[in-house]
Amino acid sequence: VSQSRYGPPSQRFMSLSVETFNIEGANRDGTSTRLTARIADRQGNAVVDGTVVNFTAEGGQVTPSCTTSRTNGISSCFVTFISQNPRPLNGRVSVMAHTEGTKDYVDINFNNIFDAGDTLVQLGDAYRDDNEDGLFTAGEFRVPRGVSGATCPNAGAPFPSIAGSCDNNLATTVRQQATILFSSSEAVLTSMNIVTGK
């Protein structure tokens, strides 16, 4: 039987994978790696083809978006990330994928609908945790949803969430963050004083 209905992307079923985490990017432009987003609905089934996944990066350059398609019934899409300026001083580049979808919830009455009595798994505004401290810092990329004041904790990567930006609605920005390392194969030599004997 062919699937005629598709559920929205679920935060619990959002996955971002990186082909090569450590690339020759510290001193070289254009070294590439592939980022693949895999998304399913809350039942683990494919989302509708053409679902747009957006990407942002702290440094380097990333393809801004991709649209999902099904291969053997599995929803996914991929983009290319390359090394170039800017290069974070610590060589760690945060990249985030995000799309519109839903929070997770505990379906108390087993009707597969978020309704009275169900327990919502809270999730605030998505942001890219560039300094990887688990807190939203001014200047970090944010996807605002126009909500404030509702209680929810900070969360850092891989699913960064801003404190106090939650609501009781099911809709959210589904997100995941990954870190790509800009490395170099060039040797770094340090002078050393060697003392022999006593």
Side-chain angles (χ1 to χ4, degrees), residues 57-60 81 86-88 90-95 178-182:
E58 175 188 9
F81 174 90
R87 292 172 165 87
N90 64 1
R92 297 174 63 86
V93 181
S94 297
V95 180
T179 302
I180 297 171
L181 305 180
F182 279 0

Side-chain angles (χ1 to χ4, degrees), residues 50-78:
T51 297
V52 177
V53 182
N54 300 291
F55 290 80
T56 68
E58 175 188 9
Q61 183 178 170
V62 67
T63 308
S65 65
C66 60
T67 56
T68 63
S69 60
R70 285 167 292 152
T71 302
N72 297 323
I74 302 299
S75 291
S76 67
C77 67
F78 69 88

Side-chain angles (χ1 to χ4, degrees), residues 85-166:
N85 287 332
R87 292 172 165 87
L89 292 177
N90 64 1
R92 297 174 63 86
V93 181
S94 297
V95 180
M96 187 176 76
H98 64 95
T99 188
E100 290 301 299
T102 62
K103 304 169 187 173
D104 191 26
Y105 63 93
V106 179
D107 190 12
I108 302 297
N109 59 9
F110 306 107
N111 65 354
N112 200 33
I113 298 172
F114 178 62
D115 52 16
D118 291 341
T119 303
L120 191 64
V121 178
Q122 283 289 11
L123 195 66
D125 282 356
Y127 75 101
R128 196 185 61 230
D129 190 13
D130 291 345
N131 62 10
E132 301 176 85
D133 67 349
L135 301 170
F136 175 68
T137 305
E140 290 179 329
F141 175 79
R142 177 181 187 176
V143 185
R145 299 189 65 84
V147 178
S148 63
T151 301
C152 58
N154 284 300
F159 309 111
S161 173
I162 299 176
S165 61
C166 289

